[in-house]
Structures are given as structure tokens and as C-alpha cells.
């Protein structure tokens, strides 16, 4: 399993968003990342407060990336895809 992130709390929008609004924003971000990266199932974990990406194409089976923010998750996805393309 790949872990692209560290374990800092997500701070985006916490200053003005209620917990429900924050979760809605994060779910929208996860959906956008998923639509831009075919082969990945991307979700926001409201309990873990992290983004999770499960690979199902183009990378080794069982690949999982989690991160506290979308930028770190994207970095992990891109690094994993690059490494997988080198191995093929």
C-alpha cells in the first residue's frame, strides 16, 4: 500500500465552514479528482478526515493512497501512475 500523505488535519475551509459544509466540499473535491483520473475510486472519509483513492486500473491491484488534503492525494496518484507506467 502506498501512503502519499502525512497525518495533519485538513485545514481548508475550517475557518468558515460547518462540519457538514466541510464534508460536502471535500466530497465534491473527491468526485472531481475521480473524474479527472480514470482508474481510481476517490472518496472523502468523514470519520478519518482524509481523502482515499483506490486504484482499479493501470496500477498494481490493491493500491491504496490516503492523504489529509486533495493536493497530497493528487501527488500520490500521479507518483503511483508514473511508477506503474515505468514498470510496464
Amino acid at each position: 500500500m502506498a501512503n502519499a500523505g502525512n497525518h495533519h488535519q485538513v485545514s481548508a475551509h475550517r475557518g468558515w465552514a460547518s462540519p457538514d459544509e466541510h464534508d460536502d466540499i471535500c466530497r465534491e473535491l473527491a468526485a472531481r479528482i475521480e473524474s479527472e483520473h480514470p482508474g481510481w475510486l476517490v472518496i472523502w472519509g468523514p470519520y478519518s478526515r482524509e481523502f482515499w483513492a483506490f486504484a482499479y486500473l493501470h496500477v498494481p491491484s490493491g493500491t491504496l493512497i490516503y492523504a489529509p488534503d486533495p493536493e497530497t492525494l493528487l501527488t500520490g496518484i500521479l507518483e503511483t501512475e508514473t511508477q506503474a507506467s515505468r514498470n510496464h
Side-chain angles (χ1 to χ4, degrees):
M1 288 194 299
N3 174 4
N6 51 32
H7 294 285
H8 297 286
Q9 291 292 319
V10 176
S11 59
H13 309 292
R14 288 222 175 182
W16 58 268
S18 72
D20 289 339
E21 290 171 319
H22 178 75
D23 287 339
D24 289 344
I25 291 166
C26 290
R27 279 191 280 279
E28 289 173 15
L29 289 168
R32 186 178 323 145
I33 293 167
E34 182 177 327
S35 72
E36 294 172 357
H37 295 275
W40 293 89
L41 169 66
V42 180
I43 63 170
W44 165 248
Y47 180 75
S48 66
R49 313 308 290 171
E50 293 185 308
F51 291 87
W52 297 78
F54 301 85
Y56 59 90
L57 294 174
H58 313 297
V59 298
S61 178
T63 299
L64 167 66
I65 300 169
Y66 59 96
D69 58 76
E71 294 82 12
T72 304
L73 187 80
L74 281 169
T75 298
I77 288 172
L78 295 173
E79 288 174 355
T80 302
E81 289 175 342
T82 299
Q83 184 64 34
S85 70
R86 288 180 186 154
N87 294 336
H88 283 85

